[in-house]
């Protein structure tokens, strides 16, 4: 266990009727608000009308940026920053899933730069300490962006998908009403749920000696929650308990509660970002295809005990097996969860992806070095894992 600092200033309103507090929270920052959203689902589920009505009642001036992509583009971020500059926006309101909130974070950062261009911040690895305030309304349990300091922005011109981080990017306030996720299709529910699962598994769980029992058990609890409740949400889209459990698991997975003192690996996320950058696929689906293959690739006598523990504590793999046999059962359980329970297509070939760009993708994923984690991965290792996914 390493030393760490915990600080998360995000204020969360969780539940069915909390949106009534939206005007007072927005007015704490000003009256000019940029509403950022995606393809229009907030109009279908009634959230858009609620936002407009509440804003009018509080004399809030609402400006809009719609059409945020599933992998938000730097060009869309820049459009939002331009609106902020020209309209003297006080606060940004993101209504949607992780992509929308990520885009809004990029806007919040770029709006305070001289040229309103987010990409130099992203490509330069700038830690953002100054940004417009952001309020988030979550509609899809997945990325955890509603309570963390990170966004992921894509530049499709250069096939790059890179994280942008900063203390100023943590939303000041987040509204989490599970009812807003009732209209999500089963596919989006499945992909979002696996993103939550992988945030814990990939980022923190395999931290070796740099962890302690309390955190391990909390991490396992979040993963078990996903495994238990996502099948219910897929079968019964309006099951409040299922949606509520997934939504809070999303926030817990990445708000830094679970990573105190651990070593961050993020191997699957770094590999998947390349898939999304080149092929614009759904992030959670890419993670689901990669994760069982990554576990199989890194399995050896050193890693088997941790992988077996995952199987026992999260998936109910029987105790008392040989460590290697137990680890293989655990990987099989992960695979079944991805491709049977969630019903996701199991190969990159299914997504019309071949090996044409694997070498370049692997090299970029490793950024000229290696990916850290339970096992260090070189670019040749990453390329082999991509090949296993075909």
């Amino acid at each position: 266990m390493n030393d760490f600092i915990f600080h998360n200033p995000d204020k969360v309103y969780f539940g069915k009727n909390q949106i009534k507090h939206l005007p007072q929270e927005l007015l704490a920052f000003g009256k000019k608000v940029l509403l950022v959203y995606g393809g229009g689902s907030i109009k279908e589920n009634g959230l858009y009308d609620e936002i407009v009505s509440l804003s009018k009642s509080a004399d809030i001036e609402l400006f809009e940026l719609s059409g945020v992509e599933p992998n938000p583009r730097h060009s869309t971020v820049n459009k939002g920053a331009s609106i902020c500059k020209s309209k003297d926006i006080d606060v940004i309101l993101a209504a949607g899933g992780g992509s929308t909130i990520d885009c809004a974070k990029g806007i919040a950062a770029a709006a305070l730069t001289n040229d309103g261009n987010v990409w130099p911040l992203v490509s330069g690895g700038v830690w953002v300490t100054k940004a417009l305030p952001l309020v988030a309304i979550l509609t899809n349990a997945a990325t955890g962006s509603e309570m963390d300091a990170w966004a992921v922005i894509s530049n499709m011109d250069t096939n790059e998908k890179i994280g942008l981080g900063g203390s100023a990017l943590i939303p000041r306030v987040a509204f989490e009403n599970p009812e807003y996720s009732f209209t999500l299709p089963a596919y989006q529910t499945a992909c979002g749920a696996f993103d939550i699962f992988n945030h814990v598994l990939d980022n923190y769980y395999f931290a070796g000696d740099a962890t302690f029992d309390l955190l391990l058990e909390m991490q396992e609890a979040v993963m078990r929650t996903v495994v238990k409740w996502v099948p219910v949400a897929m079968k019964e889209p309006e099951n409040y308990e299922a949606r509520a459990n997934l939504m809070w698991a999303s926030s817990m997975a990445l708000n830094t509660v679970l990573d105190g003192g651990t070593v961050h690996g993020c191997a699957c996320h770094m590999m998947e970002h390349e898939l999304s950058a080149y092929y614009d696929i759904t992030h959670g689906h890419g993670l689901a295809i990669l994760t069982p293959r990554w576990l199989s690739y890194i399995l050896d006598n050193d890693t088997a005990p941790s992988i077996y523990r995952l199987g026992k504590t999260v998936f109910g793999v029987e105790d008392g097996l040989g460590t290697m046999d137990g680890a293989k059962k655990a990987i099989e359980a992960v695979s079944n969860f991805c491709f049977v329970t969630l019903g996701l297509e199991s190969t990159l070939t299914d997504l019309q992806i071949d090996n044409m760009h694997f070498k370049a993708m692997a090299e970029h994923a490793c950024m000229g070095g290696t990916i850290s984690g339970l096992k260090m991965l070189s670019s040749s290792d990453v390329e082999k894992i991509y090949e296993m996914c075909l």
Side-chain angles (χ1 to χ4, degrees):
M1 173 185 170
N2 299 321
D3 295 349
F4 65 93
I5 297 171
F6 176 81
H7 176 69
N8 192 322
D10 197 340
K11 178 180 181 180
V12 178
Y13 288 91
F14 194 101
K16 297 179 180 180
N17 301 307
Q18 301 284 27
I19 196 70
K20 65 186 178 184
H21 299 288
L22 179 63
Q24 72 191 59
E25 295 295 347
L26 292 175
L27 288 171
F29 306 108
K31 287 197 169 187
K32 289 190 173 184
V33 177
L34 175 64
L35 172 63
V36 180
Y37 59 99
S41 62
I42 67 167
K43 293 186 176 180
E44 296 172 9
N45 65 18
L47 176 57
Y48 177 85
D49 290 338
E50 263 189 300
I51 293 170
V52 171
S53 176
L54 288 167
S55 297
K56 285 182 178 179
S57 68
D59 197 26
I60 290 171
E61 191 174 4
L62 209 59
F63 301 86
E64 296 185 21
L65 174 70
S66 62
V68 175
E69 306 85 358
N71 293 303
R73 314 292 198 258
H74 80 291
S75 54
T76 304
V77 172
N78 291 346
K79 287 179 185 177
S82 178
I83 296 172
C84 289
K85 285 178 168 293
S86 64
K87 303 299 183 181
D88 197 22
I89 295 295
D90 298 310
V91 55
I92 300 170
L93 174 62
S99 295
T100 295
I101 301 171
D102 280 8
C103 182
K105 289 180 177 181
I107 293 168
L112 297 190
T113 64
N114 290 330
D115 61 2
N117 184 4
V118 74
W119 198 246
L121 300 177
V122 176
S123 61
V126 175
W127 184 255
V128 180
T129 57
K130 290 184 179 181
L132 287 178
L134 169 66
V135 174
I137 304 175
L138 183 65
T139 64
N140 183 10
T143 70
S145 192
E146 66 278 2
M147 278 192 77
D148 74 10
W150 291 92
V152 180
I153 308 298
S154 295
N155 186 332
M156 306 311 286
D157 298 330
T158 58
N159 296 125
E160 292 179 279
K161 182 176 178 180
I162 305 174
L164 173 68
S167 54
L169 300 185
I170 300 173
R172 306 293 183 89
V173 183
F175 290 85
E176 300 188 31
N177 181 350
E179 294 174 317
Y180 295 147
S181 62
F182 283 178
T183 57
L184 281 174
Y187 177 72
Q188 283 184 271
T189 300
C191 291
F194 193 77
D195 194 10
I196 300 168
F197 181 93
N198 190 265
H199 280 153
V200 181
L201 179 73
D202 188 25
N203 287 14
Y204 316 130
Y205 188 67
F206 294 129
D209 293 334
T211 189
F212 56 107
D213 282 349
L214 173 63
L215 278 190
L216 278 173
E217 294 188 12
M218 290 172 68
Q219 291 160 5
E220 289 160 354
V222 172
M223 290 188 285
R224 280 197 304 271
T225 296
V226 174
V227 170
K228 175 181 177 179
W229 287 105
V230 65
V232 179
M234 292 173 67
K235 185 178 180 180
E236 306 169 26
E238 296 188 11
N239 186 304
Y240 185 86
E241 288 301 310
R243 294 294 189 181
N245 273 278
L246 291 174
M247 192 164 274
W248 195 238
S250 166
S251 296
M252 289 296 103
L254 274 189
N255 67 1
T256 70
V257 164
L258 299 185
D259 68 325
T262 65
V263 176
H264 297 198
C266 309
C268 290
H269 270 74
M270 294 180 77
M271 290 188 287
E272 199 293 318
H273 284 173
E274 299 304 311
L275 289 170
S276 294
Y278 275 82
Y279 298 102
D280 201 22
I281 66 172
T282 301
H283 177 56
H285 195 167
L287 289 172
I289 291 172
L290 282 164
T291 300
R293 279 75 180 210
W294 167 66
L295 288 171
S296 294
Y297 189 81
I298 66 171
L299 176 61
D300 60 21
N301 289 331
D302 293 330
T303 62
S306 295
I307 297 174
Y308 185 19
R309 171 171 175 152
L310 168 75
K312 289 187 291 185
T313 59
V314 176
F315 292 100
V317 171
E318 61 266 36
D319 201 358
L321 299 176
T323 305
M324 186 62 68
D325 288 339
K328 289 178 180 178
K329 287 276 190 182
I331 296 171
E332 182 181 348
V334 173
S335 183
N336 286 337
F337 176 60
C338 294
F339 310 128
V340 178
T341 302
L342 299 182
L344 297 172
E345 292 174 309
S346 62
T347 69
L348 295 179
T349 304
D350 291 329
L351 303 184
Q352 288 74 56
I353 296 173
D354 59 24
N355 65 357
M356 179 184 300
H357 300 294
F358 281 1
K359 183 175 177 60
M361 290 162 55
E363 290 174 352
H364 193 264
C366 292
M367 296 184 290
T370 57
I371 299 177
S372 63
L374 199 56
K375 283 290 181 182
M376 303 295 284
L377 300 178
S378 67
S379 61
S380 63
D381 293 320
V382 172
E383 194 170 353
K384 290 172 184 174
I385 294 171
Y386 285 144
E387 293 282 353
M388 292 169 67
C389 297
L390 289 173

